[in-house]
Amino acid sequence: MEQAMIHVLLFPVPAQGHVRAMLKLADLLHASGFCVTFVNTERSHRRFLESSPPPERPRFRFRTIPDGLPDDDTWRRAAPAGLSADALTFLLFLELFESMRTRSREHYRELLVPADGGRDPDRWPPVACVLADSSVPLAFEVAEELKVPVMNVATNSACSIMAHLAIPELIKRGEIPFPEDADMDEPVRGVAGMESFLRRRDLPSSFREAKSLDDRHLQFRMTVNSNLVRGSALILNTEEHIDSLILPHIRHVCPVTYAPGPPHLLLKSMNCGGVDDTETSSANLFEVDRSCMAWLDSQPDKSVVYVSLGSITVISKETFLEFWHGLVGTGRPFLWVIRRGMVEGGMEVGEMIGDEADVDEAARQRGCFVGWAPQEEVLAHAAVGCFLTHCGWNSTLESMVAGVPMVGWPFFTDQHINSRFVSEVWKVGVDMKDLNGRSVVERMVREVMEGERAEEFRKNASEMALMVKRSSEEGGSSYTSFKNLIEHIKSLSS
Ligand code: UDX
């Protein structure tokens, strides 16, 4: 069979971080000659079309399925009172996965085996392989039922996957759930490769919040674990050098694990059919405000602190103000992404800082705020010297690709463990988790931007960026990994 006629279907979790990572993989497969169907939920796709319509391309199509959730926030009102923002977000995802499991099943089935017996109106060949986000149970269940080969795509970090895979061992050793009033700085034993530096507070939020073994989040993670070994391969959004500590342990459980990341570097270096930026998807669920690029042009090299807490995190006005004061206190210019609705109560920046009388006008002017930035371009800009990040995996990886040192302030999912890896494994920044207050923010940012340690972080970050770049070039590990992945997919359809 001609490679051009091999049809792959990608099915992500309908959330910014997941859709973006999977779309990049989709771009890469498309540029390598595959027919690509990208499944999105109707709600997520609507936002995507409004914010960054994808280019029209032959052999690349989007298909939408309902998510089954009501348009209002019924699920939120039905949630028990007093849940943390993390727990609420997780609850939303559980609702989503459950409703998709029942209400979207037939729509997805129809994409895999059209009701007319396979005579696709677009004359596309049947799906040869599903690349399913490991967090979407439906994606696996239907593909297996219909005997369509599945590969697993994990968009979160390898270190968090390893920690999740260790759940049975941690339970056996009595490490989880944590005892009442646990000392969060106690070391955790039982996660392969991480025993020398992992503390309770560094574990993913499913562990940190679980009160008992029946905890829904913990149980859900066990389901995702079983998905990880379900497919014929695991595809990670990482690269061999970045995760040299972890990948051998993951391969012990998932022997066929590919690490062809980060895809946008590969796209450039493979020059797949002369692909240019107009032929790839920018995958934004929010409208990008490019005005900050001109602002960055006017700042000195390596002077700016870029601040973004990703696409999901919500903070209180008090937290916002502590961070703002901390950033103002550094005396440095800063660029901060405040999404619409990101601060509880929907407050605007001007409203929040209006009453802070102790900060003069010149200091206020050092801050530039946008609703959504072109993050990869921002990180690549010469003016950016530090990334204050929630350590979502995409952001962490993008910062490493750009060689920008980080201050990690994690909120949930894999972010806690990613932030620990930033400081202890990659040594490209500091971990500010569970600390609060303006003086901490100021001190941490200074540590990453001034003095001897800052010099070391910059050096490590530049070396890391160079290694990652090399591995995406011909003969490099990511390049080779992607070629092997292509051969694997081809073998499934022969
Ligand atoms: C979520 C989880 O928070 C994260 O821990 C998990 O690893 C993936 O899913 P999210 O909060 O969206 O992701 O963070 P992240 O993974 O960092 O993804 C955010 C993406 O949005 C990045 O690719 C980033 O470049 C992009 N972004 C962010 C922008 O393009 N502009 C912005 O202003 C902010």
Side-chain angles (χ1 to χ4, degrees):
M1 186 185 282
E2 287 261 333
Q3 183 182 322
M5 294 304 290
I6 299 176
H7 179 187
V8 291
L9 177 145
L10 290 93
F11 195 155
V13 170
Q16 173 72 61
H18 297 254
V19 170
R20 169 169 285 208
M22 295 274 277
L23 254 178
K24 285 181 175 172
L25 180 62
D27 282 341
L28 197 50
L29 288 165
H30 177 256
S32 309
F34 290 89
C35 298
V36 173
T37 295
F38 195 90
V39 182
N40 216 349
T41 59
E42 286 159 3
R43 196 187 305 254
S44 164
H45 202 62
R46 245 189 336 262
R47 288 183 56 195
F48 180 31
L49 291 181
E50 280 164 16
S51 312
S52 54
E56 291 280 336
R57 288 169 283 179
R59 295 183 293 102
F60 196 120
R61 64 186 185 181
F62 288 90
R63 288 292 178 267
T64 56
I65 58 175
D67 61 22
L69 290 180
D71 278 334
D72 60 16
D73 58 354
T74 325
W75 67 273
R76 190 185 285 272
R77 279 184 269 116
L83 286 185
S84 64
D86 179 9
L88 263 177
T89 305
F90 174 67
L91 199 67
L92 168 63
F93 279 111
L94 267 192
E95 290 289 321
L96 177 73
F97 296 140
E98 272 316 303
S99 87
M100 281 169 79
R101 221 166 178 171
T102 48
R103 299 193 187 98
S104 319
R105 184 172 286 268
E106 284 314 310
H107 297 81
Y108 174 42
R109 179 183 264 276
E110 173 72 10
L111 293 178
L112 292 183
V113 179
D116 66 359
R119 281 192 305 282
D120 188 296
D122 300 336
R123 297 185 185 281
W124 281 41
V127 173
C129 181
V130 169
L131 303 184
D133 197 313
S134 51
S135 300
V136 186
L138 173 72
F140 292 86
E141 288 164 7
V142 175
E144 282 171 359
E145 224 172 273
L146 298 172
K147 304 213 173 345
V148 178
V150 193
M151 288 186 181
N152 224 301
V153 186
T155 56
N156 49 340
S157 59
C159 53
S160 69
I161 290 169
M162 195 56 228
H164 288 131
L165 286 170
I167 291 176
E169 182 63 23
L170 293 173
I171 293 175
K172 202 168 91 190
R173 291 175 182 234
E175 292 277 8
I176 51 170
F178 300 160
E180 286 269 320
D181 302 323
D183 174 356
M184 296 297 276
D185 289 318
E186 275 287 298
V188 172
R189 310 268 176 237
V191 188
M194 304 184 205
E195 303 225 326
S196 61
F197 59 86
L198 205 67
R199 308 159 302 176
R200 282 185 178 136
R201 68 172 75 254
D202 303 318
L203 285 171
S205 50
S206 44
F207 302 67
R208 285 174 49 123
E209 303 231 334
K211 299 275 179 285
S212 76
L213 294 181
D214 300 328
D215 180 84
R216 285 179 83 193
H217 201 162
L218 209 54
Q219 291 295 326
F220 174 72
R221 284 294 155 196
M222 305 274 253
T223 313
V224 174
N225 277 352
S226 60
N227 288 346
L228 284 177
V229 290
R230 232 161 143 175
S232 64
L234 172 62
I235 305 165
L236 296 177
N237 185 16
T238 189
E239 178 274 348
E240 294 289 336
H241 298 98
I242 291 178
D243 279 313
S244 57
L245 185 68
I246 302 304
L247 287 171
H249 299 291
I250 291 189
R251 290 196 172 107
H252 199 64
V253 185
C254 311
V256 188
T257 293
Y258 296 102
H264 68 288
L265 278 190
L266 269 186
L267 255 177
K268 279 192 192 125
S269 68
M270 290 183 99
N271 190 24
C272 313
V275 175
D276 64 36
D277 285 351
T278 59
E279 292 170 68
T280 59
S281 328
S282 56
N284 280 300
L285 299 183
F286 303 87
E287 198 173 331
V288 177
D289 179 350
R290 298 190 55 83
S291 63
C292 56
M293 298 310 291
W295 179 85
L296 280 175
D297 288 343
S298 68
Q299 307 300 329
D301 279 6
K302 303 223 180 296
S303 66
V304 172
V305 187
Y306 171 56
V307 189
S308 163
L309 304 177
S311 63
I312 302 169
T313 306
V314 173
I315 56 174
S316 64
K317 176 188 169 192
E318 291 69 35
T319 303
F320 169 85
L321 283 176
E322 285 305 304
F323 267 73
W324 181 70
H325 277 289
L327 289 164
V328 166
T330 65
R332 293 183 172 272
F334 59 93
L335 167 62
W336 192 348
V337 178
I338 299 286
R339 301 180 327 267
R340 195 156 23 100
M342 180 177 148
V343 178
E344 279 164 1
M347 292 185 80
E348 298 289 332
V349 171
E351 244 182 296
M352 292 187 286
I353 61 180
D355 296 337
E356 302 301 299
D358 54 335
V359 176
D360 65 33
E361 193 50 33
R364 284 169 194 273
Q365 292 302 327
R366 286 200 293 272
C368 172
F369 293 89
V370 285
W372 192 251
Q375 181 162 300
E376 285 174 58
E377 277 178 65
V378 166
L379 287 169
H381 197 287
V384 173
C386 164
F387 184 12
L388 200 169
T389 168
H390 70 316
C391 283
W393 180 237
N394 292 293
S395 295
T396 309
L397 191 59
E398 288 160 12
S399 204
M400 288 201 275
V401 168
V404 175
M406 287 170 259
V407 174
W409 199 52
F411 287 79
F412 49 75
T413 61
D414 55 347
Q415 298 158 14
H416 295 101
I417 194 163
N418 299 346
S419 188
R420 185 65 169 168
F421 267 60
V422 164
S423 70
E424 299 304 303
V425 178
W426 303 310
K427 300 190 190 307
V428 291
V430 295
D431 179 7
M432 196 170 71
K433 75 164 60 79
D434 300 331
L435 297 174
N436 264 315
R438 55 191 77 182
S439 58
V440 177
V441 175
E442 183 181 331
R443 176 164 55 81
M444 294 280 183
V445 170
R446 284 184 187 279
E447 213 171 316
V448 169
M449 297 193 82
E450 297 165 12
E452 253 174 56
R453 274 199 91 194
E455 204 43 61
E456 202 182 310
F457 292 141
R458 271 198 290 274
K459 182 171 157 285
N460 293 345
S462 304
E463 283 171 7
M464 176 70 87
L466 192 63
M467 257 179 343
V468 175
K469 187 167 169 289
R470 284 201 182 128
S471 84
S472 68
E473 289 164 359
E474 190 166 359
S477 68
S478 284
Y479 188 96
T480 310
S481 184
F482 185 66
K483 290 278 179 200
N484 292 340
L485 171 63
I486 289 179
E487 291 310 314
H488 189 164
I489 299 175
K490 283 203 237 172
S491 75
L492 296 173
S493 59
S494 57

